[in-house]
Amino acid sequence: MRIAIIGAGAAGCFCAAQLRKWRPEWAVTVFEAGPKPLAKVAITGGGRCNLTNDFQGIRSLAEAYPRGERVMKRALKAFSQEDTIAWFQARGVPCVLQADHCWFPRSQDAMDIVHALLNAMKGVDLRLKSPVVSVEGPEVCSASANNIADATAEHTSGPWLVNGEAFDAVVVTTGGAARGLPFLEGLGLEMVPPVPSLFTFTVPDPGLRSLMGLVVEAAIGLQGTAFKAEGPLLITDWGLSGPAALKLSSYAARHLAESGYKGNLSINWLNANENEVRALLQKSALDNPQKLVSSTHLLQARLWSHLLAKAGLRPDLRWAELGSKGLNRLTATLIGDSYPLTGKSKFRDEFVTAGGVALSNIDPSTLECKRYPGLYFAGEVLDIDAITGGFNLQAAWSTGYVCARSICSREIGKN
Ligand SMILES: Cc1cc2nc3c(=O)[nH]c(=O)nc-3n(C[C@H](O)[C@H](O)[C@H](O)COP(=O)(O)OP(=O)(O)OC[C@H]3O[C@@H](n4cnc5c(N)ncnc54)[C@H](O)[C@@H]3O)c2cc1C
């Protein structure tokens, strides 16, 4: 058996390592366009590599995977986050779990993950600086593109040609398909247009920016839509970042791309509902009637002063003087503070691509192309992406594993 893997990233290398483990006698070739394998893994998590998540901080899989949740449910059954930790620990990389549910190598060094994968790939023909420019399936030359049934029958018998070289199966793991997949264009696969995900928000509000450095446990949403996210929100010198903002950028990735990254953000600073906030303020007024509202902060002092000013309340106002109008204005500001969004910025250098090869093209259990048997997809090239926290790499490990397992169980051309 000759297997071609296109892309020596997380998914491609993991798939190659599994194939090596299960079928050491097979010839596995990994084509990598760049000069180094696993170049992106080496810089993940700021060089520390957040390799997976314990999935305890999310309520549903869709919360972690806004796109690809159903395929990921199956892939995680085949190879879970616990399997990831066991896999790397068994290969000499002790891992630690942080309080925020993220797993890292104990050494805090992403190169340990890189080396473990490369060790597990010994015997694989890893070809660097070898971009794949053409992939031809048997049907391209011999079957009618309109007759899928005929085409399928023909595919199973002939080899795939990758840069003109013959292989029995091909795994495409070329990562975020921002530039498309020109070498697959002839196959007529359905593609979901790629858009960036995981970015921070540019908010040109001097009052907000003056609070730079504050982190608040809040909820943030896009006005006029149902998109919202909660968690720590970081105020920066350009706008808003932190897990809550990044999550929102992921959930609303396509909507924001279509609206040119313009809109209005709504922040619920206490992440509480109107009745809860009203009750909190009323209690404060009852407990401290003669105190200044500005000196009894329910949030960090700088933010509290900013919000009182936005609610139009005097700095020398006492709780006894708040009245129902003041209470209404302060409640409205605390639960629905609004800021214009004028653009997006990078979160460190981390980003993922939403979109890519449409999941309708593939069998979700095997990740094999329905129309072209012998052609598989894994990792970010698929229309699967996640919020931050190790979920994206977990998708690469799990889908890479499923492809290897499917190829082994199929054993195309075993004779
Ligand atoms: C800076 C940064 C930090 C990140 N940190 C984290 C993190 O800590 N945790 C987490 O879960 N996720 C993180 N991510 C996301 C995560 O790295 C990706 O989701 C993951 O690497 C995707 O793996 P992949 O194998 O699908 O693609 P990639 O890792 O991008 O690999 C694809 C490979 O294919 C090669 N290639 C492309 N086209 C061709 C071609 N035609 N021929 C041959 N080779 C080709 C590319 O050169 C590349 O090496 C981070 C992303 C970035 C950018």
Side-chain angles (χ1 to χ4, degrees):
M1 278 286 282
R2 300 149 302 174
I3 315 294
I5 298 176
I6 309 176
C13 289
F14 200 77
C15 181
Q18 278 309 122
L19 285 169
R20 195 73 202 130
K21 178 180 170 202
W22 288 326
R23 297 287 191 276
E25 70 282 11
W26 285 3
V28 178
T29 303
V30 180
F31 293 88
E32 168 54 47
K36 283 185 186 169
L38 295 162
K40 200 191 274 180
V41 171
I43 56 163
T44 49
R48 299 195 301 135
C49 187
N50 175 198
L51 74 159
T52 190
N53 191 286
D54 70 2
F55 287 65
Q56 297 301 309
I58 52 162
R59 284 167 293 209
S60 71
L61 211 50
E63 206 178 302
Y65 295 98
R67 289 151 290 268
E69 171 232 349
R70 283 178 55 223
V71 170
M72 279 310 298
K73 196 172 177 190
R74 290 178 193 232
L76 285 164
K77 263 197 191 141
F79 194 81
S80 68
Q81 64 277 21
E82 288 92 7
D83 294 328
T84 297
I85 297 306
W87 197 95
F88 283 101
Q89 301 212 128
R91 285 159 184 81
V93 188
C95 297
V96 285
L97 179 62
Q98 290 188 171
D100 62 359
H101 306 287
C102 297
W103 278 99
F104 287 86
R106 192 165 69 199
S107 62
Q108 305 288 307
D109 186 353
M111 289 313 289
D112 285 359
I113 298 295
V114 170
H115 291 140
L117 282 163
L118 292 178
N119 272 337
M121 285 168 67
K122 278 197 179 127
V124 166
D125 178 12
L126 175 59
R127 301 191 196 161
L128 302 176
K129 297 186 190 165
S130 303
V132 167
V133 291
S134 75
V135 172
E136 289 173 61
E139 98 298 351
V140 174
C141 346
S142 56
S144 151
N146 298 329
N147 190 334
I148 296 169
D150 283 358
T152 302
E154 299 223 11
H155 292 166
T156 49
S157 55
W160 284 84
L161 295 179
V162 176
N163 287 354
E165 203 175 322
F167 292 93
D168 300 293
V170 178
V171 190
V172 180
T173 60
T174 47
R179 274 166 266 110
L181 293 170
F183 55 87
L184 291 183
E185 256 161 31
L187 301 184
L189 298 177
E190 193 192 327
M191 300 290 291
V192 178
V195 294
S197 179
L198 300 184
F199 45 84
T200 66
F201 299 127
T202 310
V203 180
D205 184 292
L208 184 77
R209 289 181 180 188
S210 72
L211 304 172
M212 174 181 114
L214 288 189
V215 180
V216 188
E217 198 63 36
I220 179 170
L222 252 187
Q223 277 173 15
T225 76
F227 296 115
K228 57 176 195 266
E230 47 188 46
L233 187 64
L234 168 68
I235 303 173
T236 66
D237 57 348
W238 68 88
L240 292 164
S241 179
L246 293 168
K247 252 194 253 179
L248 182 64
S249 80
S250 173
Y251 297 157
R254 195 159 297 282
H255 173 89
L256 284 167
E258 281 159 11
S259 63
Y261 303 97
K262 304 264 185 297
N264 280 305
L265 296 167
S266 169
I267 303 176
N268 182 329
W269 290 106
L270 289 164
N271 194 10
N273 68 34
E274 182 177 342
N275 289 341
E276 289 165 343
V277 172
R278 206 171 267 284
L280 206 63
L281 294 176
Q282 280 164 338
K283 180 170 184 324
S284 209
L286 273 179
D287 292 350
N288 317 286
Q290 290 317 312
K291 279 199 177 163
L292 295 177
V293 178
S294 55
S295 65
T296 327
H297 354 108
L298 300 184
L299 284 159
Q300 293 159 81
R302 283 195 295 149
L303 175 60
W304 186 243
S305 304
H306 167 76
L307 294 174
L308 292 185
K310 276 200 90 176
L313 301 179
R314 299 184 335 258
D316 61 347
L317 189 81
R318 296 182 189 277
W319 282 101
E321 302 167 314
L322 188 60
S324 60
K325 268 194 189 156
L327 181 75
N328 289 346
R329 284 213 303 268
L330 188 51
T331 304
T333 305
L334 286 170
I335 63 170
D337 196 14
S338 169
Y339 296 93
L341 166 71
T342 58
K344 69 173 175 61
S345 321
K346 270 189 177 176
F347 167 62
R348 297 192 297 226
D349 277 326
E350 291 187 28
F351 56 87
V352 294
T353 307
V357 173
L359 301 178
S360 54
N361 292 296
I362 57 158
D363 176 336
S365 317
T366 60
L367 303 185
E368 187 174 25
C369 189
K370 287 180 194 161
R371 191 168 166 190
Y372 300 100
L375 179 63
Y376 297 79
F377 294 92
E380 213 179 304
V381 70
L382 286 166
D383 183 22
I384 297 178
D385 65 276
I387 59 174
T388 52
F391 299 106
N392 281 299
L393 280 175
Q394 182 61 49
W397 315 134
S398 295
T399 54
Y401 179 97
V402 170
C403 285
R405 190 187 65 176
S406 311
I407 294 170
C408 289
S409 57
R410 193 161 181 268
E411 300 206 10
I412 327 143
K414 199 176 172 189
N415 51 336

